[in-house]
Amino acid sequence: MGEIFVKLGFHNVTKVEDNPLGGAISADENCIQCDYYTSIAGLEDLLTVEKTYVKALQQHLLKVEKLKTELNDSLNEIELEKKKMEHCDPFTKFKLLKRFMDNWQFVRNLAVTITDTKNFKKSSTIRGKKIALPTLGDMRGAARGISRLQYIYKLNSTDFSNGYILGQKYSSGMTAYNCYILGKSLYESQDYTAAGEWLFEAFNKIEQSEESNQTKQKDSQIQNDEPTKVIQNFPHVSEVKILEYLSLTLFKAGKVQLSLLMNTLLLRNEPTNQKGLQNQKLFEQDLSRDRFRRKVPSKSKTSTITQLYEQVCRGELQQSPEEKRNLHCSYTNKNLAFYLLGPLKMELLSADPFVALYYDVIYNSENEKIIATAKKSLKRSLIGDEDESTTDEIRISKNAWLDFNEHPEFLAKISKRLEDITGLSMETSEEMQVANYGVGGYYALHYDCDEEQDEEDPGEGIDRLMTAMFYLNNVDLGGATAFPNLRLAVPPIKGSLVVWYNLHKSLKPDFRTSHAGCPVLKGSKWISNVWFDSLGQELNRPCDLRPDHAISMPYKSLGLD
């Protein structure tokens, strides 16, 4: 099968080890190249490649049908000539040699033509550019994204596999084979609990399918006395294959008795299964040892701040009525004549620290231009300082940087608008960062400023004073910006801008503003960030010489994880 994939142009496909006894498979460890799962951008090219694959396959099938006719004609001619042969015929030797040099050579050439897949290889070239195909790392990353969505939004595996998200039907769901591949990918990512859930779903769907087929056959026999032919979906997976992975997955998840039960079921289906026989001894030995030692069930430890983040993303934790009492929506002109006729629409989300949402502050044409320009240079998002930045699972997205000076035709007006809204200078701001999050994409809890500031000299370095974040599109489900300490989730509304201060007036970090991107549950999320540095803002937001950061210090102990 691997050779076929290579012939079709899938050069990035890495062989998956069938034997699960070896533990997690570590192919594609360097996931810097595994970019498709990190955002929705780039998937358009894959869809185009798939369309060309389908077209190439249709053309190939037409060619095969024509070649089949020619092969039949050639074989008929050979058979007819063989029947007419007489041993005493002086041309016997010549005809035999002729068949091998001509007829059979022709047949061989036809066979080679049938296996010619050059059309498929050409299909992965779009607009003159060779499209890199997904890797196993992409598969595992996407699987981890689904597991993340389930955990944070408390999604039931059965409902999820049937296409239901939070009670609404959004898709046709997953086949048994798809559930098996998802479970297998999670197993390879060492997420054994989630892997077990999806392998169970695959097993249940196989069971349900067999029961349904048996019922159809019985009904058919009653009506027509002829058994109905069972048609399996392609691709399909056997119950035995699922049980091989399921039993070992449950064992690695610490559920030894259940793994032994599943392995017994495996051997009942296939008594000579080597993996099952090997695992049976392993499971029985471990279960025997367990009888002589008392185990205290271990509970996974989740930090307080992480729990708050998850509750805010789910909408379970919100601001109290007392906290909302002084919040309001208003029209404001910022004391600028330009906004007298068309004032800004502002919603105050938090008074202290200041967090506000401005509606309809960026035009659709500007959104489209920003996204189109950013797509040309999107790369996997990094974390850390510029000199020591790296990829990490805490940030699943792609981003690009747009220089305001290089794109004045559409960024100049946005730059002026930001100055009007924030009252800060853009002279020392950073470039605009544009980010895209796909399904399951998120950014874990973080600060936009340097939380490890020098205690004795807080104003020594340049830091990010304020964050201004544009939402460039609507997100179907999920994708809010969560401020756990403030019990606040800002929904991604197209054309809106959320702003907040990262520093106190004394330029000390405000630890209350730790924030995170909730995972995208459905759709795609495009945002653009602009950070205002503290340097050059002395007249716009005068520094406070008195310590004013005590109010946020208790939140520092909560940390980020």
Side-chain angles (χ1 to χ4, degrees):
M1 181 61 73
E3 293 176 358
I4 296 174
F5 277 119
V6 171
K7 285 182 179 179
L8 296 184
F10 291 90
H11 302 291
N12 289 335
V13 173
T14 306
K15 182 180 178 183
V16 179
E17 184 62 51
D18 285 331
N19 185 4
L21 288 171
I25 300 171
S26 59
D28 290 323
E29 286 294 335
N30 183 6
C31 275
I32 290 177
Q33 302 300 324
C34 315
D35 283 343
Y36 283 110
Y37 80 96
T38 61
S39 84
I40 206 74
L43 295 184
E44 296 91 341
D45 285 339
L46 280 186
L47 288 172
T48 303
V49 170
E50 188 174 51
K51 286 179 182 178
T52 56
Y53 274 157
V54 171
K55 186 176 180 181
L57 181 59
Q58 291 172 339
Q59 294 174 344
H60 190 68
L61 287 174
L62 290 174
K63 183 186 289 186
V64 168
E65 287 294 328
K66 182 180 178 182
L67 293 173
K68 179 183 175 183
T69 302
E70 294 180 10
L71 276 172
N72 281 329
D73 291 344
S74 298
L75 290 174
N76 289 335
E77 181 183 343
I78 292 171
E79 289 291 335
L80 183 63
E81 194 170 276
K82 281 179 65 179
K83 289 179 181 178
K84 291 181 178 179
M85 280 182 59
E86 297 179 8
H87 293 291
C88 58
D89 189 336
F91 298 111
T92 297
K93 184 187 294 185
F94 174 80
K95 289 180 180 180
L96 179 60
L97 293 174
K98 187 270 300 182
R99 286 201 298 275
F100 272 91
M101 295 302 296
D102 183 35
N103 298 74
W104 285 113
Q105 185 64 41
F106 179 69
V107 170
R108 189 180 297 111
N109 290 338
L110 288 179
V112 171
T113 304
I114 288 175
T115 59
D116 183 11
T117 57
K118 61 183 179 183
N119 286 333
F120 289 96
K121 293 178 181 178
K122 291 179 181 177
S123 297
S124 58
T125 301
I126 307 296
R127 297 183 293 275
K129 181 178 70 172
K130 185 75 173 177
I131 303 299
L133 298 174
T135 65
L136 285 175
D138 284 304
M139 284 284 290
R140 293 168 191 163
R144 290 191 297 273
I146 291 174
S147 175
R148 186 182 307 117
L149 291 175
Q150 282 187 269
Y151 177 74
I152 291 182
Y153 294 110
K154 292 185 176 180
L155 302 177
N156 178 274
S157 296
T158 300
D159 291 340
F160 207 9
S161 70
N162 289 327
Y164 287 91
I165 302 176
L166 302 177
Q168 295 290 322
K169 180 79 170 178
Y170 283 101
S171 70
S172 57
M174 302 269 280
T175 63
Y177 181 79
N178 288 336
C179 290
Y180 164 72
I181 292 297
L182 177 53
K184 188 161 160 288
S185 297
L186 288 168
Y187 171 86
E188 292 163 0
S189 297
Q190 300 183 2
D191 188 351
Y192 301 120
T193 301
E197 288 186 27
W198 284 101
L199 291 169
F200 261 121
E201 287 303 321
F203 180 76
N204 289 334
K205 286 180 182 292
I206 289 284
E207 292 279 288
Q208 292 167 7
S209 176
E210 289 180 355
E211 289 177 5
S212 175
N213 288 332
Q214 289 173 2
T215 302
K216 287 179 181 179
Q217 285 184 335
K218 287 179 182 178
D219 292 343
S220 177
Q221 288 173 353
I222 293 172
Q223 295 175 8
N224 306 319
D225 293 328
E226 291 182 6
T228 302
K229 185 178 179 181
V230 177
I231 301 176
Q232 288 184 306
N233 291 327
F234 178 83
H236 55 266
V237 62
S238 68
E239 196 172 273
V240 167
K241 200 70 177 174
I242 295 172
L243 287 170
E244 285 178 353
Y245 265 95
L246 180 56
S247 59
L248 189 60
T249 299
L250 292 170
F251 177 76
K252 294 206 171 190
K255 302 175 181 178
V256 183
Q257 289 183 325
L258 192 53
S259 66
L260 190 59
L261 179 63
M262 290 296 107
N263 201 67
T264 302
L265 187 57
L266 166 63
L267 292 175
R268 190 181 302 166
N269 279 297
E270 192 177 282
T272 60
N273 187 282
Q274 290 300 308
K275 295 171 186 175
L277 292 171
Q278 292 173 19
N279 285 339
Q280 189 77 7
K281 296 178 183 177
L282 175 67
F283 299 162
E284 287 175 349
Q285 288 173 0
D286 195 86
L287 193 61
S288 178
R289 286 195 298 268
D290 280 349
R291 290 172 184 159
F292 297 98
R293 61 175 184 252
R294 185 177 178 183
K295 276 191 174 181
V296 178
S298 60
K299 294 183 179 179
S300 58
K301 294 182 180 179
T302 304
S303 68
T304 301
I305 190 67
T306 301
Q307 289 177 345
L308 291 176
Y309 158 67
E310 294 166 1
Q311 290 173 329
V312 168
C313 284
R314 291 194 293 264
E316 297 172 355
L317 186 63
Q318 300 180 10
Q319 293 167 311
S320 66
E322 290 78 13
E323 291 170 319
K324 292 181 179 180
R325 187 175 298 154
N326 296 320
L327 304 180
H328 59 272
C329 294
S330 63
Y331 288 103
T332 176
N333 57 36
K334 295 290 182 178
N335 293 321
L336 297 171
F338 183 79
Y339 296 104
L340 287 175
L341 294 179
L344 298 164
K345 293 178 281 187
M346 185 195 82
E347 180 180 358
L348 184 64
L349 302 177
S350 171
D352 185 23
F354 176 77
V355 182
L357 184 65
Y358 292 86
Y359 294 88
D360 301 321
V361 294
I362 187 168
Y363 298 104
N364 287 337
S365 57
E366 293 173 326
N367 289 334
E368 293 167 2
K369 189 67 177 176
I370 289 172
I371 292 174
T373 307
K375 279 184 176 180
K376 299 174 184 177
S377 56
L378 278 177
K379 294 180 180 179
R380 175 76 184 272
S381 298
L382 305 175
I383 63 166
D385 297 331
E386 188 175 351
D387 297 333
E388 299 177 357
S389 57
T390 182
T391 59
D392 196 286
E393 283 292 301
I394 69 169
R395 191 179 189 186
I396 306 299
S397 65
K398 288 183 180 179
N399 66 31
W401 296 86
L402 304 185
D403 192 321
F404 283 91
N405 295 321
E406 292 180 5
H407 305 283
E409 67 278 8
F410 63 94
L411 289 185
K413 290 183 179 179
I414 295 175
S415 175
K416 182 65 173 68
R417 211 172 301 149
L418 284 170
E419 287 188 333
D420 293 343
I421 292 172
T422 63
L424 300 177
S425 171
M426 287 286 291
E427 288 296 322
T428 56
S429 71
E430 299 180 33
E431 296 179 350
M432 176 182 282
Q433 183 198 72
V434 183
N436 176 236
Y437 298 80
V439 175
Y442 85 124
Y443 193 174
L445 279 166
H446 63 282
Y447 300 106
D448 280 356
C449 61
D450 181 10
E451 70 272 24
E452 300 298 334
Q453 242 183 37
D454 189 337
E455 291 291 328
E456 296 181 359
D457 191 3
E460 183 184 32
I462 301 172
D463 211 341
R464 288 172 170 174
L465 175 65
M466 173 178 269
T467 299
M469 179 191 294
F470 288 104
Y471 294 115
L472 304 180
N473 72 319
N474 291 314
V475 181
D476 297 328
L477 282 175
T481 302
F483 294 83
N485 293 321
L486 307 179
R487 293 172 294 285
L488 175 64
V490 185
I493 300 172
K494 183 178 180 180
S496 62
L497 170 73
V498 59
V499 298
W500 68 89
Y501 283 109
N502 301 300
L503 305 177
H504 290 284
K505 284 192 174 182
S506 60
L507 299 185
K508 293 280 275 183
D510 192 332
F511 295 104
R512 297 171 294 178
T513 60
S514 62
H515 57 283
C518 298
V520 177
L521 191 49
K522 184 177 185 295
S524 172
K525 176 183 174 183
W526 284 92
I527 61 171
S528 64
N529 295 299
V530 177
W531 288 285
F532 293 86
D533 287 341
S534 55
L535 181 67
Q537 311 295 350
E538 295 82 4
L539 297 179
N540 301 311
R541 195 198 191 214
C543 302
D544 198 330
L545 299 180
R546 296 167 300 174
D548 61 350
H549 61 285
I551 191 172
S552 71
M553 288 306 293
Y555 296 90
K556 182 179 182 180
S557 61
L558 292 176
L560 296 175
D561 51 33

